[in-house]
Amino acid sequence: MVHSYGYKSGTRHLFAKKFRAHGMPNLSRRLQTYRVGDYVDVVADPAVRKGMPHKYYHGKTGIVWNVTPRGVGVIMNKKVATRTLRKRICVRTEHIRPSKCRDAFTNKLKAYREYQAAKKAGKTEEIKAGVSTRGSKIVKAKKQTVKVLKRHPDEFDALLPY
């Protein structure tokens, strides 16, 4: 048989739903509000055929530039040969979700604004440089159970070809 190169070719696993996640999307997916300038992830839902994006845009992040009653216009970057094109695609709301790509940045910005407000009020604490924000632990072991692994040059010299 001749290989076909249709619009949805090669999407058998790409558009497959996860185990026990089949069926139509919840109503909350449709009721999600999107505004111009929001960052969204384009993730095609195979249960909804209308307004599905091309497989190239599946899993990519874009910015909302247009909002209609049933769909959303998204600006995406597409790499073509040596250049990057800004593509405008229209997809239904079932095929997009709010992106978490800016969460770390917004949290950092919020913390900085709180710091600035505290600094203005004169209630700042000194930030210690080089102190990790992660917790630390000390592992205790008996002297007999610890085995030091190190390289013995004698073992490796026999493997050398010269």
Side-chain angles (χ1 to χ4, degrees):
M1 252 170 81
V2 181
H3 186 275
S4 60
Y5 297 94
Y7 192 73
K8 288 173 71 173
S9 66
T11 60
R12 179 182 182 181
H13 300 292
L14 186 70
F15 287 165
K17 285 202 164 196
K18 301 281 187 233
F19 181 62
R20 290 184 179 162
H22 298 280
M24 296 301 284
N26 294 333
L27 192 60
S28 59
R29 278 286 279 285
R30 278 194 157 185
L31 296 176
Q32 178 77 36
T33 55
Y34 296 100
R35 290 183 172 82
V36 175
D38 286 353
Y39 282 78
V40 292
D41 295 332
V42 176
V43 181
D45 189 346
V48 182
R49 292 188 178 188
K50 281 189 170 184
M52 188 182 278
H54 189 264
K55 62 185 174 185
Y56 176 83
Y57 301 107
H58 181 77
K60 299 213 176 342
T61 303
I63 303 170
V64 175
W65 66 275
N66 186 24
V67 180
T68 61
R70 286 179 199 86
V72 172
V74 184
I75 296 175
M76 312 284 290
N77 287 337
K78 183 175 184 181
K79 195 164 175 132
V80 179
T82 58
R83 61 199 191 279
T84 303
L85 302 177
R86 297 188 75 189
K87 305 285 280 188
R88 292 178 179 230
I89 62 168
C90 295
V91 292
R92 278 192 162 224
T93 53
E94 291 92 339
H95 304 294
I96 61 172
R97 63 183 178 207
S99 181
K100 295 180 181 177
C101 66
R102 288 179 57 87
D103 284 356
F105 173 72
T106 52
N107 291 341
K108 183 179 172 183
L109 199 64
K110 185 180 175 187
Y112 180 71
R113 286 187 180 145
E114 288 173 0
Y115 169 76
Q116 289 288 17
K119 186 178 178 183
K120 201 170 188 179
K123 299 178 182 177
T124 58
E125 296 178 12
E126 284 191 30
I127 299 170
K128 297 176 184 175
V131 177
S132 177
T133 56
R134 299 182 191 179
S136 60
K137 295 178 183 175
I138 296 174
V139 179
K140 293 183 180 179
K142 294 179 183 175
K143 187 84 171 169
Q144 294 84 15
T145 59
V146 176
K147 185 177 180 182
V148 179
L149 301 175
K150 60 182 180 179
R151 179 177 176 265
H152 295 287
D154 316 349
E155 298 171 4
F156 296 101
D157 288 343
L159 300 174
L160 297 174
Y162 52 86

